C-alpha cells in the first residue's frame, strides 16, 4: 500500500488541480483521437465491463462508456471525481465513479473485461501493486490497457510535485514503453501490443515519448 502521507499529498495535489485540469489537459483537445485509439485497442464486440483506475476527470471512463461499455471508475481524489461525474451527467453517460485509492478499491475479483490506467503509473509509489490489482480485477482473457509517457522530457508541460514527494515516486520522471512492457510481463500479463502508432501526431506537447499498450490475462 502507498505510504499514507505520500498518498495524502498526491490526492491533495489533484483535489487542488481538479477544477482547472480539463482546461489544460491535452486529452480534451485530442478527445476524438483518443476515442479512436481506445476503440481500436478495445476491439469489436458487444458491451463489456470496464474498470478505469485513477480515473481523474473521467476521460477514459467517459470514452469507454460512449463506446457502449459498462464502466466503473476509481480515483483517490474526490475533486477530480466531482468533475468526472458532472461530465458524465452532461454527456448523458452512465458511469459509476467511486472515491478509492487503487489498492483499496473494492473491486470484485474477475469482474472486468478491460482495465484502463492512463497516466497513473507515474504517480504511484507502488505501481506494481496497481498492476496486480488490475490483473486480479480481470476475468481470464481480459485486457489491461496502460498508457503513460516520459514526462521528464518536457518538464514545462508536465504535472509536477514538490521535489520531496516526487523523490518517493519511482516513476515520477515518467516511463518508456520498454519499462511498461517489463512491468506488465512481471505482473503476469501476456505479450503486450502497442497502439500509439494510431496517433497521427504526438498527442502531448513537447513531443513527450508516450505509449499505449494492451496485454491480456491468461
Ligand atoms: C494525471 S491524472 C490522470 C487521470 C486520468 N486517468 C486521465 O488520463 O486523464 C492522475 C490521477 O491519478 C489519481 N491517483 C493518484 N494516485 C492514486 C491512487 N493511489 N489511487 C487512485 N487514484 C490515484 C489522481 O487523483 C489523479 O486523478
Amino acid at each position: 500500500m502507498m505510504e499514507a502521507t505520500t498518498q495524502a499529498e498526491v490526492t491533495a495535489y489533484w483535489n487542488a488541480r481538479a477544477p482547472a485540469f480539463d482546461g489544460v489537459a491535452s486529452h480534451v483537445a485530442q478527445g476524438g483521437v483518443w476515442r479512436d485509439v481506445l476503440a481500436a485497442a478495445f476491439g469489436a464486440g458487444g458491451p463489456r465491463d470496464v474498470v478505469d483506475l485513477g480515473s481523474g476527470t473521467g476521460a477514459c471512463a467517459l470514452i469507454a462508456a460512449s463506446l457502449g461499455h459498462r464502466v466503473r471508475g476509481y480515483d483517490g481524489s474526490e475533486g477530480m471525481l466531482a468533475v468526472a461525474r458532472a461530465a458524465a451527467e452532461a454527456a448523458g453517460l452512465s458511469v459509476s465513479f467511486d472515491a478509492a485509492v487503487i489498492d483499496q478499491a473494492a473491486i470484485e475479483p474477475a469482474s472486468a473485461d478491460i482495465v484502463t490506467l492512463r497516466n497513473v503509473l507515474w504517480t504511484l509509489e507502488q505501481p506494481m501493486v496497481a498492476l496486480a490489482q488490475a490483473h486480479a480485477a480481470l476475468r481470464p482473457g481480459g485486457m489491461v490497457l496502460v498508457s503513460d509517457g516520459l514526462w521528464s522530457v518536457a518538464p514545462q508541460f508536465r504535472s509536477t510535485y514538490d521535489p520531496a514527494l516526487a523523490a518517493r515516486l519511482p516513476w515520477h520522471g515518467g516511463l518508456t514503453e520498454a519499462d511498461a512492457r517489463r512491468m506488465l510481463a512481471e505482473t503476469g500479463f501476456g505479450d503486450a501490443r502497442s497502439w500509439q502508432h494510431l496517433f497521427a501526431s504526438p498527442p502531448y506537447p513537447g513531443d513527450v515519448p508516450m505509449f499505449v499498450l494492451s496485454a491480456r490475462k491468461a
Side-chain angles (χ1 to χ4, degrees):
M1 187 181 125
M2 195 187 254
E3 212 252 307
T5 56
T6 300
Q7 185 61 58
E9 287 174 50
V10 168
T11 298
Y13 174 92
W14 291 104
N15 279 334
R17 276 205 69 184
F21 182 65
D22 280 350
V24 296
S26 54
H27 67 246
V28 175
Q30 309 242 21
V33 190
W34 272 102
R35 190 176 193 277
D36 292 346
V37 173
L38 294 186
F42 291 174
R48 276 156 283 158
D49 293 310
V50 176
V51 165
D52 184 37
L53 297 176
S55 267
T57 52
C60 291
L62 296 174
I63 288 173
S66 77
L67 293 170
H69 301 299
R70 299 174 290 271
V71 188
R72 290 165 276 161
Y74 300 86
D75 198 283
S77 162
E78 276 285 8
M80 294 293 269
L81 290 182
V83 178
R85 289 189 189 105
E89 191 176 347
L93 294 170
S94 170
V95 179
S96 80
F97 287 110
D98 286 343
V101 292
I102 293 169
D103 49 2
Q104 292 172 13
I107 304 172
E108 196 183 322
S111 64
D113 303 301
I114 298 171
V115 174
T116 52
L117 291 114
R118 191 182 73 170
N119 299 347
V120 177
L121 293 176
W122 72 269
T123 184
L124 300 177
E125 195 172 33
Q126 297 190 32
M128 296 306 290
V129 175
L131 290 180
Q133 171 76 307
H135 194 270
L138 284 166
R139 301 185 172 109
M143 183 213 303
V144 67
L145 182 138
V146 295
S147 179
D148 227 296
L150 196 58
W151 308 112
S152 55
V153 163
Q156 70 275 33
F157 296 121
R158 66 164 307 172
S159 308
T160 190
Y161 295 153
D162 177 87
L165 172 59
R168 279 177 264 144
L169 304 175
W171 298 104
H172 180 262
L175 296 81
T176 65
E177 177 177 351
D179 295 325
R181 282 181 178 273
R182 268 195 306 276
M183 292 161 78
L184 289 168
E186 208 177 299
T187 307
F189 286 104
D191 286 348
R193 179 171 176 185
S194 60
W195 299 93
Q196 64 271 16
H197 61 278
L198 297 179
F199 290 97
S201 57
Y204 298 122
D207 282 351
V208 172
M210 59 82 70
F211 59 85
V212 181
L213 287 175
S214 65
R216 292 200 179 269
K217 175 176 175 171

